[in-house]
Amino acid sequence: MTAELRLPYETEVMLYPCPPFHFDGTVYKPSYFPGPDLVYETGHVWHSLRFEDQLFGVRMDNMGSIDAPAVRLVIFSEKPLDPGRVERISGEMAVRYDLFSDLRSFYDAALQDDLLAPAAERWRGMRPSSYSSLYEYLVIATVLQNATIRRSIQMMNNLFERFGTPLRFDGRVLAGFWSPEDIQAASEDELRQLKLGYRAKTLKRQAESFVRDGSSAEGKPILDEQYLRSLETPDLKRALLTIYGIGQASVWYLLFGQFRRYDAFDYISPWEQKIFSRLLFDQELVEAQVILKEVERRWGSGPFAGKKMLAAHILFEDLFWQWRNQQVPWLDELIRR
C-alpha cells in the first residue's frame, strides 16, 4: 500500500435530484459488496473517488426530502480545485447516483402494484446506483466469482493492501482504488500471491482494456466509460461482451448496475434465483425461466415498460434493507454460505 494521502481542501456543491428521490435508498445498497472505500450513516455517505487519474474523497449529505430533494456534495482534494474540475466531478456523481432521471410515472405505477406497493412506499424515489467506476465494478465482480463473501473480502483487502492508497479526509481514512495501470504493471504471479487464483489472469486482461497505451490511433483505451454511456443498448451490450470474463450470463449486471438500462433482466444467477423464488412465489426454489417469465408478465409492459429490472431492484433492495435492520434467517443463511 502506498503512503497515506491527505485531502485537506474542501469544495461544496449543491445538487437537486429529480423528485421523488430517496437519499438513503440510493446512496447505500445493503446487497452490495462491502469495501473499505465507503462508509454509510443515515443521511450521509463517504467514499473515495478515482477520477481523471486523481484520488479524491467524497461526502454526500441529505439536505432535502423525497419530494423536494437536495444533496450537498463535498469534494475533498489534495490541492484546490478549479471550477471545471468541480463541475466534472459533480456531473460524474450525478450519473453514478442517477440523480436526474425522472421516475415519477414509475413510482406512481409501483404504488398501485400489488407486489411492489409495500416496497415502493418504503423506498419511493430509490435509484439504481454504483459509486464505482466501470473498471472498479469489474474488479469487484471478479473477486465475487465462485467465492464465499468471506473469501471475496479477503481477496479485496489483499488487493487494497498491495495497490490501494489510504485517503485521510473529513476525520476518516478510507481506501482509495488503484488504477488499471497498477495491475497491468504487476505480474500474474504477483497477483496470484494475493490469493486470487485464476482471477489474477482475469484482472490482468481486464486492466489492459482500460490502459491508455496507444491501443487505438488516438491513444485512447479500448474501453472508455464516458463513450460507452452514449451507446444505444444493443451496441453497449456488444461492447461489454468484448471484456475478458464477461459473457451473456453477466453482461446484464453491467447494463443495469453500471449503465442504468432499466430493462436489463435476461438472466438470473443461482444465488438470485433463490431470492426471487421467495420474493415472487414464496417458495424455496423456482426454475429460473419461470422467474424471468413472471418478471416479464408483471413488469414487462404497460406503465412499467422498459423498467422491469428497476421494479425487481426495488423488491430486491427492500429485502436487503430488512435483512440489515432485522433478522431474515433464510437470507442470512444464503449470504453466509
Side-chain angles (χ1 to χ4, degrees):
M1 183 178 287
T2 59
E4 181 178 285
L5 180 63
R6 295 178 178 270
L7 307 174
Y9 292 92
E10 301 182 22
T11 306
E12 183 177 314
V13 181
M14 289 301 298
L15 302 173
Y16 299 95
C18 183
F21 175 74
H22 198 295
F23 179 89
D24 295 280
T26 299
V27 305
Y28 183 69
K29 305 292 185 182
S31 70
Y32 284 13
F33 181 76
D37 53 346
L38 180 143
V39 172
Y40 161 78
E41 295 175 1
T42 301
H44 312 276
V45 67
W46 295 258
H47 64 79
S48 61
L49 172 70
R50 178 174 284 278
F51 183 71
E52 296 181 347
D53 297 325
Q54 292 188 32
L55 286 168
F56 304 93
V58 166
R59 188 186 80 227
M60 296 174 71
D61 307 312
N62 184 14
M63 304 297 290
S65 63
I66 289 174
D67 292 305
V71 174
R72 177 170 59 200
L73 169 67
V74 185
I75 306 164
F76 298 86
S77 56
E78 188 178 12
K79 299 177 181 179
L81 298 179
D82 64 80
R85 179 67 63 89
V86 173
E87 183 177 0
R88 292 192 299 276
I89 293 175
S90 302
E92 183 67 16
M93 291 298 96
V95 171
R96 294 192 187 190
Y97 289 98
D98 200 22
L99 298 186
F100 299 134
S101 292
D102 186 348
L103 298 180
R104 285 173 288 190
S105 62
F106 170 83
Y107 276 101
D108 287 345
L111 290 170
Q112 304 301 315
D113 184 87
D114 59 340
L115 187 58
L116 280 181
E121 288 174 0
R122 286 187 285 268
W123 302 105
R124 187 169 64 91
M126 175 192 284
R127 315 296 175 92
S129 66
S130 173
Y131 70 95
S132 305
S133 68
L134 173 60
Y135 170 70
E136 294 160 4
Y137 191 102
L138 288 168
V139 171
I140 295 168
T142 298
V143 301
L144 284 170
Q145 288 177 357
N146 303 316
T148 63
I149 293 296
R150 180 179 300 178
R151 174 86 171 89
S152 296
I153 290 173
Q154 178 192 46
M155 288 187 282
M156 203 69 194
N157 286 342
N158 289 345
L159 283 164
F160 271 113
E161 182 66 29
R162 172 63 182 84
F163 298 106
T165 302
L167 304 179
R168 182 174 293 277
F169 65 96
D170 206 28
R172 299 174 180 272
V173 178
L174 272 63
F177 229 93
W178 55 90
S179 70
E181 287 85 354
D182 294 328
I183 299 297
Q184 187 195 43
S187 68
E188 188 173 323
D189 286 342
E190 183 180 356
L191 294 175
R192 285 184 178 272
Q193 290 173 14
L194 302 179
K195 300 182 179 180
L196 298 173
Y198 73 89
R199 300 167 191 84
K201 179 179 179 180
T202 301
L203 291 175
K204 285 279 291 180
R205 292 285 296 273
Q206 290 178 347
E208 290 169 0
S209 298
F210 288 86
V211 174
R212 296 178 183 273
D213 61 354
S215 54
S216 69
E218 299 82 13
K220 295 181 179 179
I222 297 170
L223 291 173
D224 183 284
E225 187 167 4
Q226 300 292 334
Y227 169 70
L228 292 175
R229 289 173 181 168
S230 70
L231 297 179
E232 296 294 327
T233 297
D235 295 328
L236 173 60
K237 183 176 180 179
R238 281 192 288 271
L240 294 174
L241 286 170
T242 67
I243 300 173
Y244 186 82
I246 298 298
Q248 293 289 344
S250 55
V251 69
W252 72 275
Y253 289 104
L254 293 173
L255 288 171
F256 178 75
Q258 201 66 26
F259 293 97
R260 316 294 179 262
R261 307 305 161 99
Y262 297 145
D263 208 35
F265 196 3
D266 303 316
Y267 178 85
I268 189 166
S269 71
W271 184 70
E272 289 158 326
Q273 179 185 355
K274 295 175 182 177
I275 292 176
F276 280 107
S277 293
R278 299 267 191 171
L279 291 175
L280 298 178
F281 299 97
D282 196 22
Q283 297 180 28
E284 187 170 342
L285 188 63
V286 174
E287 290 184 12
Q289 288 304 312
V290 174
I291 293 172
L292 293 173
K293 288 180 180 178
E294 178 66 6
V295 169
E296 179 67 26
R297 183 188 72 81
R298 285 180 172 273
W299 306 308
S301 59
F304 297 104
K307 295 183 175 66
K308 65 183 177 185
M309 184 59 216
L310 181 58
H313 175 75
I314 303 302
L315 275 186
F316 194 84
E317 290 302 327
D318 178 56
L319 170 66
F320 274 84
W321 275 100
Q322 293 178 49
W323 170 77
R324 181 180 188 271
N325 296 324
Q326 63 189 46
Q327 284 192 330
V328 181
W330 67 266
L331 182 57
D332 191 67
E333 180 183 353
L334 181 60
I335 289 171
R336 302 187 189 283
R337 284 177 184 172

